[in-house]
């Protein structure tokens, strides 16, 4: 399946400001970038750096005062693997690759140490594997209200558990937290989400099961086979679409993703497990 993705960001820069931007589609084995363009106005010089582990690509821009516009467009080919969920096991901690062990630890927004007792009581007796992570997503979907504006950039999984309301970022953080409390490596993922209404940057999470990373969306708002990933990390602090060091006012943005493969036009969201590699 091929998708056209686009994002536009607008700022009013008040004083010299450094931007770290993470809006380009990640370069991954099962997510191939066919063509892309990044345009800045003014056309400030950029520096690039990448996270080889998760495929995230970052841009550093030193912006001067005045209006600042960022426009990204890309065509991406997706080749995700779909499997029967009941066939996908969890892995014992002693068998996990050492380079993903940090996705078991509590992080700033995912306090698995604080919510561990609840997670073990609620989900600990369920059959281990993909179906248990699905049960976690079902619980979040059923017990947390999706309410725009109910949280902010400082809201943690613990806060969401207390408030029982949030947005996609908060749903993902809570899913990650429960998984880590059950010794399942989990990480935050941002992306362009096909069939999301209204279009926006979307947050989901990935759990490491059976030697692969699998996508999960507790909001149930996106089609996982059409999630063009941008960035991954321990939580949202590692995958923000824009981080500013200076003084700049965010004026607005637009995000879009469209299927350009005719065979995908009428395809329904998959009920199978989606492995992203």
């Amino acid at each position: 399946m091929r998708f056209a993705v686009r994002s536009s960001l607008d700022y009013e820069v008040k004083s010299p400001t450094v931007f770290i931007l993470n809006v380009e589609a990640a370069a991954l084995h099962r997510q191939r970038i066919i063509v892309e363009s990044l345009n800045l106005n003014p056309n400030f010089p950029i520096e690039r750096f990448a996270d080889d582990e998760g495929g995230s690509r970052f841009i550093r821009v030193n912006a001067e005062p005045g209006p600042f516009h960022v426009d990204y467009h890309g065509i991406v080919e997706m080749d995700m693997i779909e499997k029967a969920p009941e066939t996908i096991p969890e892995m014992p901690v002693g068998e996990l690759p050492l380079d993903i062990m940090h996705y078991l630890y509590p992080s700033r927004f995912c306090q698995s140490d604080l919510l561990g007792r609840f997670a073990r009581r609620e989900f600990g007796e369920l059959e281990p594997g993909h179906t248990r992570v699905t049960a976690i997503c079902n619980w979040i979907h059923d017990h947390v209200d999706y309410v725009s504006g109910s949280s902010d950039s400082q809201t943690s999984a613990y806060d969401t558990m207390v408030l029982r309301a949030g947005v996609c970022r908060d749903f993902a953080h809570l899913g990650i937290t429960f998984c880590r409390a059950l010794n399942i490596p989990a990480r935050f993922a941002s992306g362009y989400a096909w069939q999301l209404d209204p279009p926006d940057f979307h947050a989901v999470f990935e759990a490491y099961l059976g030697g692969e990373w699998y996508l999960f969306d507790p909001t149930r708002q996106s089609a996982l086979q059409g999630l063009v990933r941008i960035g991954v990390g321990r939580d949202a602090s590692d995958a923000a679409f824009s981080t500013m060091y200076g003084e700049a006012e965010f004026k607005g943005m637009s995000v879009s993703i469209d299927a350009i493969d005719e065979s995908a036009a009428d395809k329904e969201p998959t009920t199978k497990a989606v492995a992203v590699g």
Side-chain angles (χ1 to χ4, degrees):
M1 297 173 67
R2 288 191 177 190
F3 297 93
V5 298
R6 184 165 189 167
S7 57
S8 295
L9 311 175
D10 284 290
Y11 298 88
E12 184 67 33
V13 181
K14 306 295 186 179
S15 64
T17 298
V18 177
F19 286 84
I20 307 297
L21 302 172
N22 184 205
V23 298
E24 294 179 314
L28 302 164
H29 176 61
R30 295 187 180 128
Q31 180 173 294
R32 189 164 64 93
I33 299 165
I34 306 301
V35 64
E36 65 179 354
S37 65
L38 177 73
N39 296 297
L40 308 182
N41 186 17
N43 189 23
F44 298 120
I46 65 173
E47 297 175 90
R48 295 181 176 274
F49 56 103
D51 170 19
D52 293 336
E53 178 187 352
S56 306
R57 298 187 294 153
F58 299 91
I59 300 158
R60 183 167 66 181
V61 181
N62 291 279
E64 295 298 324
F68 177 45
H69 177 76
V70 180
D71 186 80
Y72 171 72
H73 176 266
I75 295 177
V76 180
E77 185 173 71
M78 308 288 287
D79 185 26
M80 294 181 178
I81 293 177
E82 297 182 12
K83 297 182 181 179
E86 63 276 8
T87 66
I88 302 165
E90 293 175 22
M91 295 182 66
V93 173
E95 297 177 10
L96 291 170
L98 291 175
D99 60 356
I100 68 165
M101 291 292 291
H102 58 292
Y103 291 120
L104 284 175
Y105 306 151
S107 62
R108 177 182 176 185
F109 294 111
C110 301
Q111 309 103 314
S112 50
D113 51 343
L114 300 183
L115 293 176
R117 187 159 58 94
F118 174 85
R120 290 188 292 271
R121 186 177 70 243
E122 188 72 25
F123 311 111
E125 299 303 316
L126 299 180
E127 184 69 24
H130 192 284
T131 54
R132 175 153 66 168
V133 182
T134 298
I136 289 172
C137 293
N138 291 341
W139 188 95
I140 296 170
H141 181 268
D142 293 343
H143 291 85
V144 180
D145 295 329
Y146 191 97
V147 181
S148 297
S150 60
S151 62
D152 58 30
S153 61
Q154 301 305 310
T155 302
S156 70
Y158 189 87
D159 298 327
T160 302
M161 187 68 176
V162 173
L163 297 171
R164 297 297 175 95
V167 294
C168 59
R169 174 185 186 272
D170 309 304
F171 280 51
H173 281 160
L174 195 53
I176 291 166
T177 300
F178 288 157
C179 284
R180 291 178 185 170
L182 298 169
N183 296 327
I184 303 169
R187 65 188 186 185
F188 185 91
S190 64
Y192 298 92
W194 182 46
Q195 297 183 340
L196 183 69
D197 186 22
D200 201 348
F201 291 119
H202 193 49
V204 297
F205 75 93
E206 300 173 9
Y208 193 79
L209 301 163
E212 298 268 13
W213 287 105
Y214 287 87
L215 282 170
F216 293 89
D217 182 6
T219 71
R220 299 289 189 260
Q221 293 186 1
S222 64
L224 293 179
Q225 74 271 35
L227 196 288
V228 176
R229 283 183 298 158
I230 299 172
V232 299
R234 295 164 301 168
D235 52 39
S237 61
D238 291 339
F241 67 84
S242 176
T243 304
M244 296 175 287
Y245 298 89
E247 186 181 3
E249 181 183 355
F250 180 56
K251 305 296 287 186
M253 70 179 184
S254 64
V255 178
S256 66
I257 174 171
D258 297 294
I260 56 176
D261 182 347
E262 291 184 2
S263 64
D266 299 318
K267 188 171 183 178
E268 294 296 323
T270 183
T271 59
K272 292 186 178 181
V274 177
V276 295

